Structures are given as structure tokens and as C-alpha cells.
């Protein structure tokens, strides 16, 4: 199953919201860097209750949304 994550970095606090089928809005309190994929996978694993090895980063779409594949 593919999920779409609209990630907002450098927010004042961490937040996780569902805004559509397989679509999530994630606010993170740190800047985007090379470890962002690992951190997003860990955060999604915690919030969705799926083991992190079953979540893979697929790509970013043209709107900047992060696409993940959850097995």
C-alpha cells in the first residue's frame, strides 16, 4: 500500500494528522536533512503500528509530498 506524507519541517511541535485515504500531514520540529527519511520511517512506524522494516521510502512527487510503500 502506498501512503502519501506531506511533511512540514521546523515546526514548533511534532504532530501527526490523517487528511485523506492513505494521506498524512506530519509536522516535525527539526530541519530537513539527509536523515529525514530514516526519521520519517521511524515516526510512521510508531504512529501506524507497522514495523519499520516494512516501510520503504519510494519517492517525492512533484508537489514535494513523500511517498512510502507499506507492506
Amino acid at each position: 500500500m502506498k501512503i502519501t506524507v506531506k511533511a512540514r519541517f521546523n515546526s514548533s511541535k511534532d504532530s501527526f494528522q490523517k487528511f485523506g485515504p492513505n494521506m498524512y500531514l506530519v509536522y516535525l520540529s527539526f530541519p530537513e536533512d539527509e536523515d529525514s527519511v530514516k526519521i520519517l520511517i521511524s515516526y510512521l512506524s510508531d504512529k501506524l503500528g507497522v514495523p519499520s522494516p516494512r516501510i520503504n521510502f519510494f519517492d517525492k512527487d512533484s508537489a514535494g509530498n513523500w511517498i512510502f510503500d507499506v507492506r
Side-chain angles (χ1 to χ4, degrees):
M1 158 176 72
K2 292 213 186 313
I3 62 169
T4 302
V5 176
K6 185 175 289 286
R8 299 291 182 234
F9 295 93
N10 290 324
S11 68
S12 59
K13 64 178 181 173
D14 292 348
S15 175
F16 183 83
Q17 302 170 9
K18 183 173 184 169
F19 70 95
N22 300 327
M23 299 176 77
Y24 300 93
L25 180 59
V26 177
Y27 290 94
L28 299 166
S29 59
F30 57 87
E32 183 177 354
D33 60 14
E34 64 276 351
D35 292 330
S36 296
V37 171
K38 292 178 193 175
I39 293 170
L40 273 171
I41 288 174
S42 175
Y43 196 73
L44 288 171
S45 173
D46 181 50
K47 295 297 184 182
L48 299 176
V50 176
S52 58
R54 294 182 53 198
I55 302 173
N56 295 312
F57 176 65
F58 183 70
D59 201 4
K60 281 177 117 175
D61 66 11
S62 60
N65 298 321
W66 300 62
I67 310 298
F68 291 89
D69 182 40
V70 179
R71 297 179 267 128

